[in-house]
Amino acid sequence: MDGTRLTAEQNASNLGSGLYVWCDDPTAQTADRIATSITMPLRIMAQKAWGPAKPTTYLEFAALSDAIAEPI
């Protein structure tokens, strides 16, 4: 959250990341609507969890994300 990265020792213990999605009312949104709403959070999580520290601003990340991912 604050822009820091894991140390090498911490990273060795990192087993992965997860994004939990749930709804108290399963009829409130369709599965497609939910998938669309979590597209950018999933991209951000993937960059943080798996990618090197390349983009330094959100605008740089958004441009990179749009260039390599399916459009929202």
Side-chain angles (χ1 to χ4, degrees):
M1 296 294 292
D2 65 0
T4 60
R5 301 280 176 179
L6 298 176
T7 65
E9 182 179 322
Q10 292 168 327
N11 198 42
S13 299
N14 184 11
L15 300 177
S17 298
L19 180 70
Y20 297 92
V21 180
W22 70 92
C23 181
D24 292 332
D25 179 1
T27 63
Q29 291 185 346
T30 67
D32 287 341
R33 177 73 184 215
I34 293 169
T36 299
S37 69
I38 65 169
T39 297
M40 191 55 79
L42 283 172
R43 291 177 183 178
I44 293 168
M45 184 182 72
Q47 174 63 33
K48 292 287 190 183
W50 302 316
K54 288 185 180 177
T56 57
T57 68
Y58 178 77
L59 291 176
E60 289 175 359
F61 169 77
L64 175 64
S65 176
D66 288 341
I68 63 173
E70 293 181 28
I72 296 177

